[in-house]
Amino acid sequence: MVGQVIERSALRVLHDEVSSDAAETRAALPFELNCRKGCSACCVDGLTVFEVEADNIRQWVGTRLEGQAPHPVGACAFLDSEGGCGIYPVRPYVCRTQGLPLVWADESGLHLDICPLNDPGDETLLGLDESQCWTLGRVEGRLAALQGDGRRVPLRSLFAEVST
């Protein structure tokens, strides 16, 4: 029990840091993102969360979802009928950074991507500095370390667990 409380506290600190960093990244962009309540294009089935985040969602949801049906397959089970997030206060790391320009490196080089709804449609993306993008990999390792491994859980499976 004490270990779970410490994990949730550390997770809350990490999520607050991610939200703050994401807000700074948004503010540094030379264009405005179209992400707002109701825009749920990124909220798709197949998203997974770290087990420590899954535990946090389970704890927060409690009985809030009793009798509710999940959003239809294809979108996140936790979306409401208006496209709002039913777990917004405890949304996982991946949801806190959705919509931002993403940068990552692999053996083939440096890559840049953004949600098509936020693409300014010109060469603006190519001119972004790496600091104006969210770097993939900078948080995932910290989450894995927080829980001791890299286990992940599909978000949709959590709805079934917490709504019965």
Side-chain angles (χ1 to χ4, degrees):
M1 177 70 167
V2 172
Q4 288 177 337
V5 171
I6 292 169
E7 269 183 8
R8 279 198 306 276
S9 176
L11 180 63
R12 189 173 15 262
V13 168
L14 180 61
H15 279 171
D16 288 349
E17 181 184 318
V18 166
S19 293
S20 176
D21 289 353
E24 288 177 20
T25 301
R26 267 185 214 96
L29 292 172
F31 55 91
E32 189 173 324
L33 297 179
N34 294 309
C35 303
R36 37 194 75 16
K37 185 176 181 177
C39 175
S40 55
C42 297
C43 307
V44 296
D45 268 337
L47 288 179
T48 61
V49 299
F50 284 85
E51 183 65 43
V52 66
E53 292 179 302
D55 287 342
N56 192 48
I57 293 167
R58 288 179 190 111
Q59 178 72 29
W60 183 84
V61 167
T63 60
R64 288 179 171 97
L65 297 176
E66 275 184 12
Q68 292 186 31
H71 196 278
V73 172
C76 178
F78 290 101
L79 285 177
D80 63 26
S81 60
E82 286 87 43
C85 178
I87 57 170
Y88 192 83
V90 293
R91 70 198 182 282
Y93 141 75
V94 67
C95 300
R96 293 168 189 267
T97 60
Q98 288 291 348
L100 293 173
L102 305 174
V103 65
W104 69 96
D106 63 19
E107 58 280 344
S108 65
L110 195 62
H111 304 276
L112 178 66
D113 196 16
I114 192 167
C115 170
L117 299 175
N118 287 326
D119 190 339
D122 55 19
E123 298 297 312
T124 304
L125 280 181
L126 299 177
L128 291 180
D129 181 83
E130 197 173 327
S131 67
Q132 294 172 297
C133 302
W134 187 265
T135 304
L136 291 179
R138 67 191 251 198
V139 174
E140 292 87 345
R142 291 174 61 192
L143 282 165
L146 186 59
Q147 70 183 29
D149 61 27
R151 272 188 338 257
R152 296 179 71 107
V153 177
L155 264 176
R156 181 162 290 276
S157 72
L158 292 178
F159 192 97
E161 287 180 34
V162 297
S163 65
T164 55

